[in-house]
Amino acid sequence: MNPDVPLQLLGGLTARVFLRDYWQKKPLLIRQALPDFENPISADELAGLALEEEVESRLVLEHGESPWELRSGPFAEDAFTHLPERDWTLLVQAVDQFVPEVADLLQHFRFLPSWRIDDVMISFATPGGGVGPHFDNYDVFLLQGQGSRRWRIGQMCDADSPLLEHADLRILQHFEQTDEWVLEPGDMLYLPPRLAHYGTAEDDCMTYSVGFRAPSAAEVLTHFTDFLGQFLPDEERYSDADAAPSSDPHQIQRDSLDRLKALLAEHMGDERLLMTWFGQFMTEPRYPERIAGTELDQDQLLASLHDGAVLIRNPSARLAWSEVGADLVLFASGQSRLLSASLRDLLKLICAADALHADNLGPWLANDEGLNLLLELIKQGSLECADE
Ligand code: SIN
Ligand code: CO
């Protein structure tokens, strides 16, 4: 992807300029980011998803049994029949994993690393509906799908920003509005992390939130050190050979701290393990239970592909690849595989292609290592074999 090509999705900005001036920094309103946007899912279908056990959904009523009442799905069939005329919103998480047409929207965001994408959340709101003034800890693109929504943006927030006393919702006590726009279908608003925002529906409206993910510093430290710990033998310990005699046996001296820092630096700086952990962590699926594998052998796979079968990424799987020293590594749904550098084009194809088939796999069908990789991904469930 050429970072210097102007993108309609970014209102004519190039990916390079967007990343330099806006990403993680400041909001950007893009009128007609997706012109002629056709809403890929109806409000009724969205409500239908919210009935499903495996789907995460929430209903927020500004004037419910309590102010800003939160109800959590899955919902019963009649849950939407007794709702007030206005001021409520239904939010459904990770719709991209359940509706392929919604997953297709993510194609437009290829100018950003795919492993940073979290999910596409969709909200349906009646007039006045919204989730209150709040901030999120992640970047989000808010695409208007149907109807119109008024977005107000405000101050930059942090962990100390005062919130309303509410058990479940993080609503800001103070909202210092700096700008306001009404978004129509196809319009999009990019918001950096921690910027206060407040969306209210002008009429029955649907908004698509393309949300990104970034591990917290606490997650990086705790998860990486847990991962590292598996590779360290119990025998490797804090050691103080050549320690200077201590004048007070009760004092922990500065040189002990230096020894600890050296021990930490030695292991924390292991780039191979750091990359392996990071790739595994960033590709961990949100719904691992939706990833079930199938066992095939090479002959069965080849026969299916020659008969027109396609391999498609399980919508719940996440894939990424990287270089680790002279090797390549493929990360698939929280697991990693070290592969020889000769498989580079296959790895790129597996991560990027909508579907793998006899045509685009071409010579890889005669490559043993390549075929075994495909079989492993099918066995793990990240790829699914579908007869066309
Ligand atoms: C919404 O779509 O109503 C909420 C999206 C957000 O503010 O993060
Ligand atoms: Co938000």
Side-chain angles (χ1 to χ4, degrees):
M1 164 134 215
N2 181 346
D4 295 308
V5 171
L7 299 174
Q8 170 101 42
L9 188 84
L10 296 175
L13 295 183
T14 64
R16 191 185 301 282
V17 169
F18 174 77
L19 288 172
R20 189 190 64 200
D21 296 346
Y22 295 93
W23 178 248
Q24 301 242 301
K25 294 179 186 153
K26 58 183 188 193
L28 176 66
L29 170 72
I30 307 134
R31 292 285 179 204
Q32 293 306 288
L34 290 177
D36 308 317
F37 178 70
E38 283 192 28
N39 199 15
I41 172 171
S42 68
D44 278 348
E45 286 164 331
L46 190 73
L49 273 179
L51 311 182
E52 305 273 343
E53 190 72 44
E54 53 182 0
V55 175
E56 290 171 70
S57 57
R58 291 168 291 156
L59 198 52
V60 177
L61 292 87
E62 187 170 348
H63 313 288
E65 283 169 17
S66 54
W68 297 111
E69 185 192 347
L70 172 73
R71 297 182 190 167
S72 298
F75 295 100
E77 292 262 357
D78 61 356
F80 304 109
T81 46
H82 307 295
L83 291 174
E85 286 272 292
R86 50 173 298 137
D87 300 335
W88 59 266
T89 180
L90 167 71
L91 304 112
V92 182
Q93 219 67 54
V95 182
D96 52 307
Q97 297 196 26
F98 301 94
V99 181
E101 293 75 17
V102 174
D104 288 346
L105 267 181
L106 295 173
Q107 304 284 357
H108 297 286
F109 294 87
R110 290 227 160 145
F111 63 95
L112 291 164
S114 60
W115 47 267
R116 286 277 270 119
I117 296 175
D118 189 7
D119 70 337
V120 182
M121 179 187 81
I122 306 182
S123 64
F124 167 78
T126 48
V131 297
H134 68 280
F135 69 97
D136 301 305
N137 282 315
Y138 48 80
D139 310 79
V140 65
F141 290 88
L142 298 156
L143 170 70
Q144 194 57 22
Q146 177 194 307
S148 34
R149 183 186 281 270
R150 183 175 300 275
W151 281 106
R152 300 177 171 95
I153 58 166
Q155 73 277 24
M156 272 292 177
C157 301
D158 59 28
D160 297 327
S161 303
L163 303 178
L164 292 188
E165 270 183 41
H166 193 294
D168 312 293
L169 291 178
R170 297 169 65 249
I171 299 176
L172 285 164
Q173 273 185 27
H174 311 292
F175 183 71
E176 297 148 28
Q177 185 174 324
T178 56
D179 236 319
E180 152 175 46
W181 305 279
V182 175
L183 271 70
E184 306 290 344
D187 292 346
M188 190 168 77
L189 178 61
Y190 163 74
L191 299 179
R194 295 180 299 286
L195 183 75
H197 54 283
Y198 187 9
T200 41
E202 296 277 289
D203 44 26
D204 281 0
C205 91
M206 280 173 83
T207 303
Y208 291 67
S209 301
V210 179
F212 285 73
R213 56 211 282 269
S216 67
E219 274 177 316
V220 172
L221 285 167
T222 54
H223 288 246
F224 179 51
T225 49
D226 271 358
F227 174 81
L228 264 183
Q230 305 169 63
F231 301 98
L232 301 179
D234 202 36
E235 287 69 29
E236 188 177 337
R237 286 180 178 253
Y238 167 83
S239 68
D240 46 10
D242 299 326
S246 134
S247 56
D248 179 340
H250 305 296
Q251 184 186 359
I252 299 176
Q253 307 225 34
R254 170 77 217 189
D255 75 321
S256 303
L257 202 64
D258 291 337
R259 288 167 196 278
L260 273 178
K261 281 170 67 181
L263 183 146
L264 283 172
E266 184 189 338
H267 294 295
M268 300 293 251
D270 186 327
E271 289 190 5
R272 214 179 161 85
L273 286 179
L274 186 57
M275 180 61 93
T276 307
W277 167 76
F278 191 56
Q280 290 187 186
F281 187 77
M282 292 311 288
T283 59
E284 260 170 28
R286 187 184 185 111
Y287 303 124
E289 65 282 3
R290 288 176 52 83
I291 302 186
T294 316
E295 217 155 332
L296 291 182
D297 63 29
Q298 274 200 16
D299 292 341
Q300 288 169 313
L301 175 62
L302 285 171
S304 303
L305 289 169
H306 287 308
D307 282 349
V310 293
L311 301 179
I312 42 180
R313 185 174 59 83
N314 179 320
S316 296
R318 298 183 203 270
L319 299 173
W321 70 277
S322 182
E323 289 166 348
V324 180
D327 298 314
L328 298 179
V329 53
L330 177 68
F331 303 106
S333 308
Q335 295 182 17
S336 59
R337 283 174 186 72
L338 215 54
L339 299 157
S340 63
S342 62
L343 260 60
R344 176 180 295 263
D345 289 345
L346 178 60
L347 292 199
K348 294 176 85 152
L349 182 68
I350 291 173
C351 292
D354 289 336
L356 300 165
H357 42 73
D359 284 348
N360 61 5
L361 284 168
W364 296 112
L365 297 182
N367 181 305
D368 217 41
E369 197 186 353
L371 278 177
N372 284 338
L373 172 62
L374 294 175
L375 289 170
E376 274 185 52
L377 293 173
I378 296 167
K379 184 173 170 192
Q380 189 220 13
S382 286
L383 289 182
E384 290 172 339
C385 189
D387 298 320
E388 274 289 90

